[in-house]
Amino acid sequence: MNNPQAPTARKNGLVIQEMPDEVLVYDLKTDKAHCLNQTAAFVWKNCDGKTSVSEIVLQFEKQSGTKVEEDLIWLAIDQLNERNLLETNVTSKFAGESRRSVLKKIGFASVVALPVIASLVAPTAVLAVACSGVQTADSCGTGNCNRGTPCTSCSPACGAGFACGCSGAGATCECIATAGAKTAASKKG
Amino acid sequence: MENEVKKELKEKQKKISFESYGVKISIEADCDIDFNLIKNCLADSLSREFNLVENQTSDHIFYINGDNFTYSLEKNKEKIVSDVSFEFLLDTLESKVRITVAEFAVGRVFLHAGVVAIDGKAIVIPARSYHGKTSLVAALIRQGAVYYSDEYAVLDENGYVHPFPKMLSVRGIIDQYAQKDLPVEEFGAVAGTDAVPVAMVLITEYVEGAEWKPEQLSAGQGIMEILPHTIPIRNKPEFTLNVLNKVAERAIITKTMRAEAVDTALLIKSFFAKLAFKI
């Protein structure tokens, strides 16, 4: 059954970087980066608010030179929707179905690449140089969590192999190496 | 009485202003502090891209408050640390200034990465701290590669990488954690002086006994792997993605686990030599 919806690709608040077979999209509102593979990128580019899903199917078939199930296009639309890359929410065709069962169904029938959108949250400047996802550069540089601040606000947490050592009245945060008694204070990262 | 205190504070207050990679920074203090030590420390940390400027309106102001024993540090009126030793203050200040420069550098994109060059083409190795970046760079330059950086890949608008040849910060000499800064000459190597194109980006992580199995990534996948190490991505996403795209157009982006640095360096060189005709 054809679905009458005609989704619209969101363009505002995005930085779009076109590549030969992919599109990279950076969402300025959420600081998330998304990499759309060729199939997902094709669907996104054709979401103009006028073209229905069944028409996108036809365009896709023309471009790829092969017959595809409408579900393949819907799989792309679902992912675009989830990542807030469409102007308005569309009603999923797969409501109630698990992603696994949908993928299984489409995957077997499809000879073209399934739509895939890889996403990540862009790091802050500090996290881009950190030892792990929870440490700051300072904590890398010194192995500690905001050393010098009162124990009530020891954050972010120390990285693997370190624990925030805080005890006694008026103590301040310090990361202590858990393997052995070596403190990591004054060690540089 | 209050006025006298204020007057005394004002007299004591000291300040330096400098510019690094187009970023204007001031450091002010309300106490007697060794500004020469701070200047030398920052100049080394910023790979000598450190120019003192008089009467500059700075975009980033660090403020040191302290007495003879403990110090506090603020950046743009936000507290960073308080009641710390001078040694710790200096470490924190150095780290914060370097990140500020890396985030706001004009016309440059800083990646947290090691960089070497072979035959005028750069190999960029993005990695977090404590992930063996310096060990790998050291192994490569010991085997003849030209040293560019063990800290930052500094990319220009064309995707070329510029030298950031600060001394290599090597662990394992003092103990497992502490770093010792060694000049590139200690490794029998030389530092690059010119910007070079990036020919290969290697996404790798040390895993004991890991097998070298380089998998080539698409441009988009590759950029997604580089992004977690890209310092200015939030501050200037459009420029940054454009630069990364230029790198990805030209370079091979490959991913693999790796074992020991010395063995990996040999494998990288061999892999790179095979690729060279394609790049």
Side-chain angles (χ1 to χ4, degrees):
Chain A
M1 186 179 73
N2 286 345
N3 190 313
Q5 295 180 88
T8 309
R10 181 181 147 211
K11 292 286 155 71
N12 288 332
L14 301 176
V15 173
I16 299 163
Q17 192 71 235
E18 300 263 357
M19 281 167 287
D21 295 324
E22 297 153 302
V23 172
L24 208 70
V25 181
Y26 187 89
D27 190 331
L28 297 166
K29 281 187 193 165
T30 58
D31 284 308
K32 282 185 181 170
H34 308 282
C35 179
L36 284 59
N37 76 350
Q38 201 169 15
T39 306
F42 180 91
V43 174
W44 192 56
K45 284 175 189 169
N46 283 280
C47 288
D48 58 5
K50 295 172 197 157
T51 311
S52 69
V53 174
S54 45
E55 286 170 324
I56 296 174
V57 173
L58 293 175
Q59 288 176 359
F60 189 86
E61 287 179 342
K62 192 174 165 192
Q63 186 256 353
S64 65
T66 181
K67 295 272 307 166
V68 295
E69 294 289 320
E70 191 173 303
D71 283 356
L72 182 96
I73 305 303
W74 269 106
L75 190 61
I77 291 170
D78 253 20
Q79 292 181 67
L80 292 166
N81 199 32
E82 275 173 14
R83 286 160 175 82
N84 199 23
L85 294 176
L86 298 177
E87 282 293 344
T88 51
N89 273 342
V90 293
T91 311
S92 172
K93 194 192 169 196
F94 307 121
E97 274 188 86
S98 73
R99 174 65 54 85
R100 183 186 289 263
S101 69
V102 172
L103 281 173
K104 211 171 169 182
K105 195 165 66 180
I106 302 170
F108 281 132
S110 178
V111 291
V112 297
L114 291 174
V116 175
I117 304 178
S119 303
L120 61 79
V121 178
T124 61
V126 166
L127 280 178
V129 297
C131 323
S132 71
V134 292
Q135 286 193 308
T136 66
D138 287 339
S139 59
C140 284
T142 60
N144 88 35
C145 47
N146 295 348
R147 186 186 186 206
T149 58
C151 277
T152 48
S153 55
C154 292
S155 69
C158 304
F162 292 86
C164 207
C166 258
S167 60
T172 53
C173 309
E174 186 170 31
C175 282
I176 311 288
T178 49
K182 182 187 287 292
T183 69
S186 85
K187 309 292 188 290
K188 295 179 75 180
Chain B
M1 181 66 183
E2 199 181 328
N3 281 344
E4 279 177 26
V5 173
K6 277 185 183 169
K7 192 180 165 193
E8 195 185 338
L9 274 176
K10 199 172 177 184
E11 281 169 1
K12 271 184 144 181
Q13 196 160 25
K14 292 175 182 171
K15 176 179 175 179
I16 56 165
S17 296
F18 62 93
E19 179 268 331
S20 179
Y21 290 94
V23 185
K24 293 173 178 173
I25 295 175
S26 291
I27 299 170
E28 299 176 14
D30 75 344
C31 50
D32 285 328
I33 203 157
D34 188 346
F35 267 104
N36 278 330
L37 190 58
I38 291 177
K39 281 185 234 172
N40 291 337
C41 172
L42 292 178
D44 287 345
S45 171
L46 295 166
S47 195
R48 317 309 299 180
E49 281 284 333
F50 177 85
N51 306 305
L52 287 168
V53 183
E54 298 259 336
N55 303 321
Q56 168 181 271
T57 305
S58 295
D59 302 314
H60 308 275
I61 298 167
F62 290 85
Y63 191 83
I64 299 165
N65 178 291
D67 53 33
N68 290 332
F69 304 104
T70 61
Y71 300 86
S72 302
L73 179 66
E74 292 176 1
K75 181 191 171 191
N76 298 337
K77 299 191 175 170
E78 265 186 41
K79 188 176 85 175
I80 296 172
V81 287
S82 56
D83 299 327
V84 295
S85 66
F86 182 71
E87 186 194 18
F88 190 84
L89 172 86
L90 199 58
D91 267 0
T92 308
L93 181 66
E94 179 202 335
S95 163
K96 287 287 178 190
V97 166
R98 201 164 42 178
I99 291 174
T100 301
V101 169
E103 183 176 9
F104 294 94
V106 178
R108 296 283 186 268
V109 171
F110 278 61
L111 308 182
H112 195 230
V115 186
V116 299
I118 297 173
D119 296 334
K121 290 166 185 161
I123 301 173
V124 173
I125 308 166
R128 289 177 176 149
S129 296
Y130 287 93
H131 280 66
K133 185 163 37 72
T134 299
S135 309
L136 201 45
V137 167
L140 281 161
I141 62 173
R142 276 196 176 105
Q143 292 176 26
V146 175
Y147 177 61
Y148 269 70
S149 178
D150 77 335
E151 179 80 12
Y152 292 135
V154 182
L155 301 167
D156 66 21
E157 69 273 22
N158 297 314
Y160 277 52
V161 66
H162 291 246
F164 190 85
K166 69 182 243 318
M167 287 201 278
L168 285 91
S169 303
V170 182
R171 287 194 188 89
I173 296 171
I174 300 167
D175 63 28
Q176 183 185 350
Y177 302 102
Q179 290 182 326
K180 184 172 169 58
D181 288 343
L182 297 175
V184 65
E185 293 78 16
E186 290 264 330
F187 300 83
V190 293
T193 51
D194 301 321
V196 287
V198 180
M200 179 169 140
V201 179
L202 176 63
I203 313 289
T204 189
E205 195 169 328
Y206 171 79
V207 175
E208 196 178 347
E211 201 179 331
W212 169 262
K213 281 186 182 171
E215 171 202 353
Q216 194 171 328
L217 305 180
S218 68
Q221 290 166 340
I223 290 174
M224 292 296 271
E225 292 282 350
I226 298 169
L227 274 183
H229 311 284
T230 307
I231 296 158
I233 181 63
R234 288 194 181 212
N235 184 44
K236 40 183 182 182
E238 189 158 11
F239 178 73
T240 301
L241 288 179
N242 197 31
V243 168
L244 293 183
N245 197 15
K246 288 198 171 147
V247 170
E249 278 172 7
R250 196 183 290 124
I252 283 167
I253 307 177
T254 190
K255 185 178 182 180
T256 178
M257 295 293 181
R258 70 167 180 88
E260 296 304 323
V262 175
D263 301 333
T264 306
L266 285 168
L267 292 164
I268 291 172
K269 283 183 69 187
S270 160
F271 183 74
F272 193 74
K274 283 177 198 159
L275 289 176
F277 70 95
K278 295 183 188 169
I279 301 166

